[in-house]
Amino acid sequence: MAERRFSEDELIAQIFAPLAAEGGFGLADDAAVLPSGAGDLVVTTDAVIAGVHFFPDDPPGLVAKKALRVNLSDLAAKGAEPVGFLLTLALPPDWTNGWLRDFAAGLAEDARDFACPLHGGDTTATPGPLTISITAFGRSARFVSRSGARPGDLIFVSGAIGDAALGLGVARGEPFTGRLGEAARAHLLERYRLPQPRLALAQTLRDHASAAMDVSDGLVGDLAKLLRASGASARVELSKIPLSAAAREAIAAEPGLFDRVVTGGDDYEIVLCAASEAAAALAREARQAGVALTEIGVATSGRDAPVFATADDRQIVFSNSSYRHF
């Protein structure tokens, strides 16, 4: 006999209520109360959809973590500390109780580790595909916008760029995958499935950044968005863009992958600008936070598209500067 699936009330009471914060009232009310605190209340929302942002057969715990972490990445880039989130879950006809339990277990682990508890949300049915939308809340003593970059500011990026875009290729079994070692394949796939929100840099951004945003649609395109918002341009040294050993291995196997590395989505790193006199403090605090931070260029005057230059001073134009949803 097939297992009886949870009713909506059972789903909420048994699966998600244990994750709820005190202000979520056990998810037994129609609204929640966020905790008071100093600074601006920062709000962001992102959805992830099966077949678009993750594979339908990906482990449900990892799907839950990715859904939360892409939102936490936005909070980090604004210099905000997380205080909670809302979850909207649209379940297709083939959902199971076991899938939900595993999903909630992954969500609970990250909610605890990132001090970002559940405050409420909604569950509904959909003909498909599975859709998960999270709205995350944070607080920041200084909201770090996209629009504060000024000519002369240095441009930095956290972590390594392009791993997730290559990891998607690994998940799809693209030909280059067969020329990678097992460790490289595992690293790239992990980076696609499980972003690392750079919340450890939130205080540093508040103290030093003139502008910042998370890199979700590709470094080339997202930096261009930041510069447009700031009314500035830039020169970026392509040779300085930080790459992991796995990404370098992939590019060595197929050099054309470099374009994907700098324009593909799902990095969830932070690109930021800061005055040159802040560079030493940025480097020191990033080291203390355990996050790599690399200077890749400088903001310039004007509103032209940023210049991406090779080591021998050739300017590279990318035909597709970022991932596009439409």
Side-chain angles (χ1 to χ4, degrees), residues 162-168 170 176 180 183-193 244 246-247 250:
D163 284 351
L166 295 175
L168 176 58
V170 172
F176 78 88
L180 299 180
R185 289 196 300 271
H187 172 84
L188 297 174
L189 186 59
E190 175 82 357
R191 289 281 286 150
Y192 169 69
R193 284 178 163 176
S244 69

Side-chain angles (χ1 to χ4, degrees), residues 39-55:
D40 295 327
L41 183 63
V42 180
V43 184
T44 184
T45 187
D46 268 303
V48 295
I49 301 169
V52 178
H53 303 93
F54 61 90
F55 288 84

Side-chain angles (χ1 to χ4, degrees), residues 272-300:
L272 66 108
C273 298
S276 58
E277 53 266 28
L282 273 170
R284 182 180 65 254
E285 292 176 22
R287 282 196 304 272
Q288 292 170 348
V291 179
L293 194 65
T294 304
E295 180 189 333
I296 62 170
V298 61
T300 58

Side-chain angles (χ1 to χ4, degrees), residues 2 5 9 21 68-69 75 78 133 137 145 149 176 178 183 188 195 199 204 228 231 249-250 264 268 275 283 288 325:
R5 293 197 297 190
D9 287 344
L68 181 57
R69 291 181 184 206
L75 292 182
K78 302 298 100 184
S133 180
F137 302 87
S145 73
F176 78 88
L188 297 174
L199 289 164
T204 297
R228 283 197 299 271
E249 185 176 333
Y268 298 106
Q288 292 170 348
H325 293 276

Side-chain angles (χ1 to χ4, degrees), residues 107-121:
L107 196 60
E109 187 175 334
D110 264 10
R112 180 191 67 241
D113 290 348
F114 292 111
C116 187
L118 178 65
H119 282 266

Side-chain angles (χ1 to χ4, degrees), residues 104 120 122 134 141 185-186 234 268 274 280 283 319:
D122 188 31
I134 284 180
R185 289 196 300 271
Y268 298 106
S319 55

